[in-house]
Amino acid sequence: MDLNQKRTRTVDRVDSVDPDLVSPESTPMCPFPDEVLEPVLSLINSHKDRSSVSLVCKDWYNAERWSRRHVFIGNCYSVSPEIVVGRFPKIRSVTLKGKPRFSDFNLVPEDWGADVYPWLSVLAKAYPFLEELRLKRMAVSDESLEFLAMNFPEFKALSLLSCDGFSTDGLKAIATHCRNLAELDIQENGIDDLGGDWLSCFPETLTTLQVLNFASLNSEVSFSDLEKLVTRCKSLRVLKVNRTINLDQLQKLLLRAPQLTELGTGTFTQDLVTRPVADLEATFGSCKNLLTISGLWDTNSLYLPVIYPACASLTFLNLSCAALRSFELAMLLIHCKSLRRLWVLDTVGDMGLEAVGSWCPLLEELRVFPADPFEQENVAGVTESGFVAVSRGCPKLHYVLYFCHQMTNAAVATVVQNCPGFTHFRLCIMNLGQPDYVTNEPMDEAFGAVVRTCPNLQRLAVSGLLTDLTFEYIGKYAKNLEILSVAFAGSSDLGLKYVLGGCPRLRKLEIRDCPFGNAALLSGLTKYESMRSLWMSACNLTMNGCRVLAKEMPRLNVEVMKDEDSEDSQAHKVYIYRTVAGPRRDAPPFVLTL
Amino acid sequence: MDLINFEATELRLGLPGSTDEWDKKSTASPVNTNKRSSSEMGSSVTDETDSSRSPPPAKAQIVGWPPVRTCRKNIIQGKKSEPEMGSGMYVKVSMDGAPYLRKVDLKVCKSYGELLKSLQEMFKCIIGLYSEREGYKSEYAPTYEDKDGDWMLLGDVPWDMFLTSCRRLRIMKSCEVIES
C-alpha cells in the first residue's frame, strides 16, 4: 500500500466522526504520520500522560483518541457518556467513579445518584466489545449487572469497589453469561447477600478466570463447585475467599492452585486443641509465588504459624481482619523480610509496631485500623510511641493511615524526620478535638512539620485539635498536595482561605464540621475548575453563598443536599465539581443544583 | 449542656431506654445528626480547659466518625459465637492428630455405650471399654470439657448428668493422659 492510500484511509476514518477535523499531510507542526504516531501513543497508558498528549495539537489529539483503549472517569458527573463515546471510538476498558468519598461514612443519603445504568446503555452501543469495567462508589442494580452480562459478549473483567444497590442475583447473571470472564473482584460493597449459589452459576466450560475475590460476601458457597472452578482455571492468580471457607477447605484449594500470587483466606482458626495443621503448613510452603495474603479472620498464635513458610517472599500482608496481639504479630513478622505493605488492627499495640520497626526494613506502607472504633472507655490501641517506633525502623515508609486515641506534636515531627518521603499521610486521632496530650496544645505543629518536611506529599488527612495555623502551614508548604481531608478543625474562614490560596495542585478537598463560611468558599472561585471536586458538610455555608458561586462559575455544578432538620437558608451539605455535562438530569429531589 | 438534649432526640437503632447498646450499633439515618455535631465541635473546643465539666461529649455518636467503612466495623463484632451446648444435642469432637473436628448428636445416643460406638466408627479407632478403676485400656481416652472448663474422663458420672454438663469432646491419646 503506498503512502497516499494510507493517508486517505486515515482521512476517511476521521471524517466519519467529525468532518471538520481532517488530518492533513505531515506538517512541520507534526512531522509524524498517523501510522507512526498511533502505535507509539498506544504504548502510553497513564491517562494523565494521554491528556497531555491530546493537548499538543489537533493531530495528536486525533491520534490519541483513536489509540486510547482505556478511559478513566474520576467523577461520573463531570462528563456524559455521550461525550465520552463521541471522543473515544475504540475503548475496551472503562473505570468510573461516582459518589463523593464521604459516602463511605454514611454522609451521602441513599438514592443520591451515580447510577451506572445510563452509562451501560450508551457503552453497549458504542463499545459492544468492551472487556473491562471498574466501578468505585457507583450505584449498581441487579438490572445493570444483567444488562452488562447480556450485552457485552467479550466482557472479561468486572471490579466493584464500594458500590451498592445490587444483590447476589446480579452476580449470578455475570457468572452465567460472561463466557470469557477473567476477573470478578467484589470489594467492600453494600450488597444484598441472598445466598452463595451465584458461584455455582459459573459454567463448567469457564476456564479463563484469573481473579476471583468474594471475600466481602457473607453467604456460604458450594465448596465442591468452588474447588472444581479453581481446579479448571489454571491461570488463576488471585483468589480471595470469604469467611465461610474453613482451613481444611482452604488447604484443598491451595493444593489445586499453587500458582496463586494473591491469597485471601477464609476463617483461619479451628476449634482443635492440638497443634496447627502440619499439612497446611507444608501446603503454604509449596506456594512459591505468593506475594499477598489477606483474610485471616479469627486467627491467633495457634494457626498463624502455618503461613510462615510463605512469608519470606510476601510483599503485602493484610491483617486488618485478624485481631492479633503484639507478640503474635512480632512472631509473624520475623519471617516477613520482604514486606512492603502491612495492614493491621490496633490490637497489636505499640509493642506490635515496635516489631514492625524491627523486622520490616523495606516497609513502604502501614495502615493501622481501629478494632473497636466506637469504644470510648478502656481503649488500648496504638499511641504516638508505636508510630515513632515504626518510623525509626522503616525509613522507606511513604504511606501511612493511622487511627489512634492520642498523639503529640513532637512525635509526628520525629516521624516525618525519620521518613521525609511521605506521599500519603493520613492521621486520625479518633477523639474529637483532641490536643497534644502532653502539652495540651493544638496539633498544628504536627501537621506543620509534615508539610514542611515532606515535599512529595500528595495526600493529607488531618485530625485532632487544629486552629487556622494548620491550614496556613498547608497552604504555604504543601506544594504537591492533591487530596486533603479535614474534619472538626479550624477556627475561622481564614483556615480554608489559606488552603485555597496555596496548594497549587489541589484536586480533591473534603471538609466536614468546620467553621468555614461563604467568604472562604468564594475565595476559591478561580480554583475550583482546576479541581475535581469540593465537599463541604456541616460548615457555615448558606444557600446565598452557594448561589453566588454557582452564578460566577457556570462550568461548575454546585449541588446542595437538603435535609429536613436544617434551616432553609443553610447549605448543609455542598458538593461542587467541574463538569462539561451541565447540571445533573438525574438528581433526586433532595439535591438542588444551583 | 445542649448535647444532653440532642441525645434524646437522636434517631438510632435499638429499643427505647437501651442507652448502653446504641454506640455499638452501626449509625442510623445520617440526616439528623449533623447539626448536633457542629455544636458539639464548638463545645469540645471551648470546654477543653474546664476540668469541672463532665467527661468529654465523645459518647454521643457522630455520623461517619471515626471515618471507618461499615464493612470494617463488623470485623470484630461479626465473630460467630458458638451457641451454648449445655442441653446436649450437637457437640464438637476432636481427636488428637486428626486434621478436622466432627460433630456428634448426644441426644441420639442414649447411653455412653452408644456414644463410644459412634466415636469409634467416626474416627476409626478402638477406645475400648470403661472401667471405674482404670479408665480405658486402649491407647485412647475419651474426655469431655465440662461447664467449669475442666477436662473429665468420659463415663464417671451418670449419663444424664453428663448430658447437662458436656460442652465438647476430645479423644486424647493415652500417653498424654498419663503425663497430665
Side-chain angles (χ1 to χ4, degrees), chain A residues 32-270:
Chain A
F32 308 112
D34 291 337
E35 292 77 14
V36 172
L37 199 51
E38 272 184 45
V40 170
L41 292 183
S42 65
L43 298 171
I44 298 176
N45 291 320
S46 145
H47 62 275
K48 284 182 188 162
D49 288 343
R50 279 187 164 268
S51 274
S52 309
V53 161
S54 67
L55 294 173
V56 170
C57 64
K58 276 187 182 167
D59 289 339
W60 281 47
Y61 177 89
N62 277 320
E64 193 281 310
R65 57 185 274 265
W66 277 99
S67 64
R68 196 184 291 215
R69 298 291 173 263
H70 169 238
V71 67
F72 170 87
I73 296 153
N75 173 5
C76 64
Y77 288 119
S78 64
V79 69
S80 73
E82 290 82 9
I83 293 174
V84 174
V85 305
R87 177 172 169 188
F88 300 114
K90 290 200 157 198
I91 295 296
R92 283 199 239 119
S93 164
V94 175
T95 301
L96 255 184
K97 294 187 178 181
K99 300 181 200 175
R101 196 181 77 95
F102 276 173
S103 73
D104 285 351
F105 315 125
N106 298 331
L107 287 180
V108 176
E110 274 180 44
D111 306 325
W112 177 82
D115 187 358
V116 75
Y117 196 92
W119 282 85
L120 290 178
S121 49
V122 174
L123 294 178
K125 288 191 212 100
Y127 311 134
F129 302 114
L130 189 72
E131 293 177 3
E132 297 182 3
L133 188 63
R134 295 175 200 286
L135 304 178
K136 187 169 184 180
R137 291 192 199 100
M138 297 289 294
V140 180
S141 63
D142 284 342
E143 288 70 35
S144 294
L145 291 177
E146 279 151 26
F147 184 89
L148 179 64
M150 304 301 291
N151 287 281
F152 296 91
E154 297 289 313
F155 195 72
K156 293 196 170 69
L158 179 64
S159 166
L160 300 174
L161 175 56
S162 274
C163 297
D164 65 348
F166 63 103
S167 76
T168 42
D169 284 350
L171 297 183
K172 278 190 198 173
I174 299 289
T176 308
H177 299 290
C178 297
R179 303 270 143 182
N180 298 308
L181 200 66
E183 177 174 337
L184 182 60
D185 189 349
I186 313 289
Q187 281 187 62
E188 300 190 31
N189 299 289
I191 180 176
D192 219 348
D193 193 338
L194 303 171
D197 42 350
W198 60 270
L199 187 113
S200 305
C201 292
F202 283 114
E204 303 211 339
T205 47
L206 184 83
T207 57
T208 45
L209 214 53
Q210 295 175 30
V211 174
L212 179 62
N213 177 1
F214 63 97
S216 57
L217 299 179
N218 294 323
S219 297
E220 204 174 312
V221 297
S222 153
F223 179 70
S224 70
D225 287 345
L226 176 61
E227 193 180 3
K228 285 188 215 141
L229 181 66
V230 169
T231 307
R232 64 178 183 266
C233 294
K234 305 280 181 211
S235 310
L236 193 68
R237 49 184 175 81
V238 176
L239 178 63
K240 296 184 184 177
V241 299
N242 68 9
R243 204 173 184 171
T244 65
I245 299 291
N246 63 39
L247 279 179
D248 308 309
Q249 293 169 330
L250 181 72
Q251 175 172 7
K252 293 199 180 106
L253 294 175
L254 285 179
L255 286 174
R256 303 286 186 191
Q259 76 282 5
L260 285 180
T261 59
E262 292 182 34
L263 171 69
T265 75
T267 182
F268 215 78
T269 189
Q270 208 152 269

Side-chain angles (χ1 to χ4, degrees), chain A residues 104-106 162 188 248 270-271 320 369 374-377 403 430 432-433 512-513 563 565 572-573, chain B residues 23-24 27 30-32 34 37 41 58-59 61-65 69 72-73 92 99-101 168:
Chain A
D104 285 351
F105 315 125
N106 298 331
S162 274
E188 300 190 31
D248 308 309
Q270 208 152 269
D271 206 6
S320 61
F369 294 98
F374 304 111
E375 187 55 53
Q376 311 284 359
E377 289 148 29
F403 282 86
M430 290 187 275
L432 290 177
R512 63 166 294 185
D513 295 273
D563 75 69
D565 268 9
H572 190 58
K573 284 180 185 165
Chain B
D23 62 351
K24 298 231 188 311
T27 54
V31 178
N32 294 329
N34 280 318
S37 50
M41 172 215 70
K59 268 239 180 253
Q61 187 170 24
I62 296 163
V63 176
W65 190 265
R69 281 186 183 170
R72 209 162 266 299
K73 284 181 213 162
K92 291 183 183 176
Y100 48 87
L101 282 77
R168 53 192 176 136

Side-chain angles (χ1 to χ4, degrees), chain A residues 392-430:
Chain A
R392 259 194 240 112
C394 308
K396 295 188 170 188
L397 195 66
H398 69 85
Y399 190 121
V400 74
L401 170 61
Y402 201 82
F403 282 86
C404 58
H405 289 278
Q406 66 185 45
M407 189 51 59
T408 67
N409 289 311
V412 174
T414 306
V415 165
V416 293
Q417 234 172 6
N418 293 335
C419 306
F422 271 112
T423 56
H424 297 69
F425 193 94
R426 302 165 66 189
L427 176 62
C428 182
I429 303 169
M430 290 187 275

